[in-house]
Amino acid sequence: EAEVAQSPRYKITEKSQAVAFWCDPISGHATLYWYRQILGQGPELLVQFQDESVVDDSQLPKDRFSAERLKGVDSTLKIQPAELGDSAMYLCASSGRQGNEQFFGPGTRLTVL
Amino acid sequence: GDSVTQMEGPVTLSEEAFLTINCTYTATGYPSLFWYVQYPGEGLQLLLKATKADDKGSNKGFEATYRKETTSFHLEKGSVQVSDSAVYFCALRDPGGSYIPTFGRGTSLIVHP
């Protein structure tokens, strides 16, 4: 069964360092989403791509976060510099062009010390 | 704006007990409603959904009925198993807007043998 892949699964870093997360969506899925899930809360959208284009990044803290999907397939989310408050689970999801159902990856758990 | 309110957890039950996790929502239109499940160390999986009033979504013994008059979508299961231990998220999606769900905070379920 096709799955959304994410790496790394766990990342520990010190504040002010740079971190990067990778996501490979289900093959053929045009839409890719990055969510942040703070412990004890539901996921919140950071950025949505349709193919290689950003559709919605209104909740992305652009002073430190960046995301790209250069070839419209896999995607990278970067944080530079990381802050203590960035500790969270970062989830990637993908969906077909109609967007009826999102399929989530296992997430990357980030701890900033 | 749209919002979802779930009962706080953790909900702790013995195996074969009856489960109810309450969910109420606020939305301007007629949203689609969802329950997602997140097993330890994994991403979110869609458990069931309902797209209009009085619809009943069901899957794996879980069910929920879309109640427009009470703006609720409570999750129920007649006999829980240890393997049902997970975090359950209620979510809504506005059909007139984007495909981005609005999630509740999640309710942790712990089932003891």
Side-chain angles (χ1 to χ4, degrees):
Chain A
E1 184 175 311
E3 295 180 343
V4 176
Q6 289 188 248
S7 68
R9 294 291 305 274
Y10 304 92
K11 178 69 178 179
I12 300 173
T13 191
E14 294 184 346
K15 64 180 181 179
S16 79
Q17 296 299 303
V19 292
F21 314 132
W22 177 79
C23 172
D24 191 13
I26 292 173
S27 178
H29 277 188
T31 311
L32 185 147
Y33 314 80
W34 282 102
Y35 289 87
R36 178 169 60 186
Q37 184 182 13
I38 295 171
L39 187 64
Q41 298 184 20
E44 295 181 329
L45 182 73
L46 290 174
V47 61
Q48 176 187 356
F49 289 92
Q50 182 78 13
D51 300 311
E52 67 276 7
S53 300
V54 173
V55 173
D56 183 356
D57 64 355
S58 57
Q59 300 304 311
L60 188 71
K62 298 182 188 64
D63 57 333
R64 297 184 300 107
F65 285 64
S66 64
E68 60 184 17
R69 193 184 184 200
L70 294 177
K71 297 182 179 179
V73 181
D74 59 338
S75 175
T76 303
L77 178 70
K78 297 179 181 177
I79 308 175
Q80 182 173 17
E83 295 181 353
L84 296 177
D86 296 332
S87 294
M89 176 78 86
Y90 290 83
L91 294 167
C92 179
S94 69
S95 66
R97 201 164 293 275
Q98 295 303 315
N100 288 331
E101 181 177 347
Q102 297 181 17
F103 294 84
F104 285 82
T108 296
R109 180 165 295 284
L110 172 67
T111 301
V112 182
L113 303 176
Chain B
D2 296 345
S3 67
V4 175
T5 302
Q6 292 181 234
M7 63 187 290
E8 287 196 24
V11 173
T12 304
L13 296 173
S14 297
E15 207 165 23
E16 299 184 2
F18 184 86
L19 168 70
T20 300
I21 299 178
N22 291 337
C23 170
T24 57
Y25 67 89
T26 302
T28 53
Y30 298 95
S32 296
L33 302 173
F34 306 84
W35 277 101
Y36 288 82
V37 58
Q38 186 174 32
Y39 297 104
E42 299 184 15
L44 276 70
Q45 301 174 26
L46 180 63
L47 181 60
L48 54 85
K49 67 180 179 182
T51 58
K52 61 182 187 296
D54 300 325
D55 268 2
K56 178 184 285 188
S58 61
N59 185 24
K60 300 180 180 180
F62 292 89
E63 58 182 35
T65 301
Y66 190 144
R67 300 288 188 197
K68 183 172 177 293
E69 63 277 12
T70 55
T71 61
S72 65
F73 193 55
H74 303 323
L75 182 68
E76 297 181 336
K77 187 175 185 183
S79 177
V80 294
Q81 304 300 312
V82 173
S83 57
D84 293 326
S85 298
V87 180
Y88 293 81
F89 292 90
C90 185
L92 69 80
R93 194 173 71 200
D94 181 350
S98 72
Y99 289 107
I100 308 302
T102 298
F103 290 91
R105 297 172 67 93
T107 301
S108 174
L109 170 65
I110 302 170
V111 181
H112 293 294

